């Protein structure tokens, strides 16, 4: 059985909530321990769904001192970026966790390539484009970037074997029953959109 789009969408929307993102970190204890204040976890974690980073490209050696280093806003290949924040000083800490949710029709090489591409992007100087309510927080690049993969019970076994073989941390999620009726609701909605009245 393959991963359904509704499964992916359900998890992505769930992890947009800070409570669910922290619960996800609890499933991989080393990452939970990276939260700056476990007594104040909700003030210590910022969740960016489908994040965008501004990549600063280095100046070419022959460029004059008056040249401006170009910045490029780039859509990251991860599904979530979880940033750590000092709850007292309201500044971003040096650890970032990138979450990769297994997408429909995605095989192991595709999933791994998303992490590799993120490593290439974030190997340069960069800053995250923050939501308005976090715009006061400095969002410069981090000291360390860690991956966390989320796969489903329906994910092909070779994907889990590959992640384990590459020593990449992952958690397995079984989708709740509530993810299935939504598809039925979507089909009835499409009937209404076709002009079928009650």
């Amino acid at each position: 059985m393959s991963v359904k789009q509704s499964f992916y969408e359900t998890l992505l929307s769930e992890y947009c909530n800070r409570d669910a993102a922290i619960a996800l970190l609890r499933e991989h204890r080393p990452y939970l321990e990276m939260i700056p204040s476990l007594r104040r976890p909700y003030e210590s974690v910022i969740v960016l769904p489908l994040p965008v980073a501004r990549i600063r490209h280095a100046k070419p050696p022959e460029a004059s001192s008056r040249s401006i280093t170009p910045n490029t806003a780039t859509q990251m290949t991860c599904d979530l970026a979880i940033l750590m924040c000092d709850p007292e000083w309201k500044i971003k800490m040096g650890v970032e966790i990138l979450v990769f949710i297994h997408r429909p029709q995605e095989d192991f090489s595709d999933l791994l390539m998303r992490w590799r591409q993120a490593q290439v992007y974030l190997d340069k100087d960069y800053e995250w484009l923050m939501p308005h309510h976090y715009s006061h927080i400095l969002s410069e690049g981090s000291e360390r970037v860690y991956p966390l993969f989320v796969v489903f019970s329906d994910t092909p076994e070779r994907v889990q074997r590959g992640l384990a073989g590459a020593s990449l941390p992952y958690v397995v999620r079984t989708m709740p029953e509530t993810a299935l009726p939504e598809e039925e609701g979507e089909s009835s909605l499409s009937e209404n959109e076709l002009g079928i009245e009650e």
Side-chain angles (χ1 to χ4, degrees), residues 103-165:
R103 295 175 177 174
Q105 310 304 319
E106 189 172 51
D107 216 328
F108 172 63
S109 61
D110 304 313
L111 183 59
L112 181 61
M113 186 58 72
R114 287 205 283 139
W115 163 233
R116 297 303 184 214
Q117 188 64 60
Q119 287 180 293
V120 171
Y121 285 147
L122 302 184
D123 187 52
K124 305 174 179 68
D125 287 336
Y126 66 94
E127 64 177 315
W128 296 104
L129 297 188
M130 304 291 277
H132 179 70
H133 53 284
Y134 290 125
S135 58
H136 61 287
I137 294 178
L138 292 176
S139 58
E140 299 291 323
S142 71
E143 300 165 8
R144 290 297 301 272
V145 179
Y146 297 90
L148 180 59
F149 296 84
V150 180
V151 298
F152 300 91
S153 53
D154 294 332
T155 294
E157 185 185 345
R158 64 178 172 270
V159 174
Q160 295 184 40
R161 281 202 317 267
L163 292 172

Side-chain angles (χ1 to χ4, degrees), residues 41-115:
Y42 304 110
E43 300 175 49
S44 302
V45 170
I46 299 171
V47 179
L48 303 179
L50 300 178
V52 175
R54 184 174 289 115
I55 310 295
R56 297 191 189 95
H57 299 285
K59 295 179 185 177
E62 65 278 2
S64 69
S65 59
R66 291 166 39 175
S67 298
I68 298 174
T69 303
N71 296 332
T72 305
T74 304
Q75 172 71 56
M76 287 294 105
T77 53
C78 59
D79 300 292
L80 296 156
I82 300 178
L83 314 181
M84 303 303 170
C85 179
D86 185 305
E88 294 292 336
W89 296 96
K90 306 297 182 188
I91 58 173
K92 192 177 85 59
M93 307 294 285
V95 172
E96 299 168 356
I97 298 169
L98 303 186
V99 178
F100 298 85
I101 303 172
H102 183 222
R103 295 175 177 174
Q105 310 304 319
E106 189 172 51
D107 216 328
F108 172 63
S109 61
D110 304 313
L111 183 59
L112 181 61
M113 186 58 72
R114 287 205 283 139
W115 163 233

Side-chain angles (χ1 to χ4, degrees), residues 16-33:
C16 288
N17 183 298
R18 192 166 14 194
D19 293 333
I22 292 170
L24 174 63
L25 297 184
R26 286 195 180 99
E27 296 187 52
H28 186 66
R29 188 164 186 82
Y31 287 177
L32 178 67
E33 293 171 354

Side-chain angles (χ1 to χ4, degrees), residues 163-177:
L163 292 172
S167 300
L168 293 169
Y170 69 92
V171 298
V172 181
R173 287 292 307 269
T174 302
M175 285 313 300
E177 299 282 329

Side-chain angles (χ1 to χ4, degrees), residues 186 188-196:
E186 287 168 5
S188 63
L189 177 62
S190 62
E191 287 178 1
N192 290 337
E193 289 174 345
L194 290 173
I196 300 173

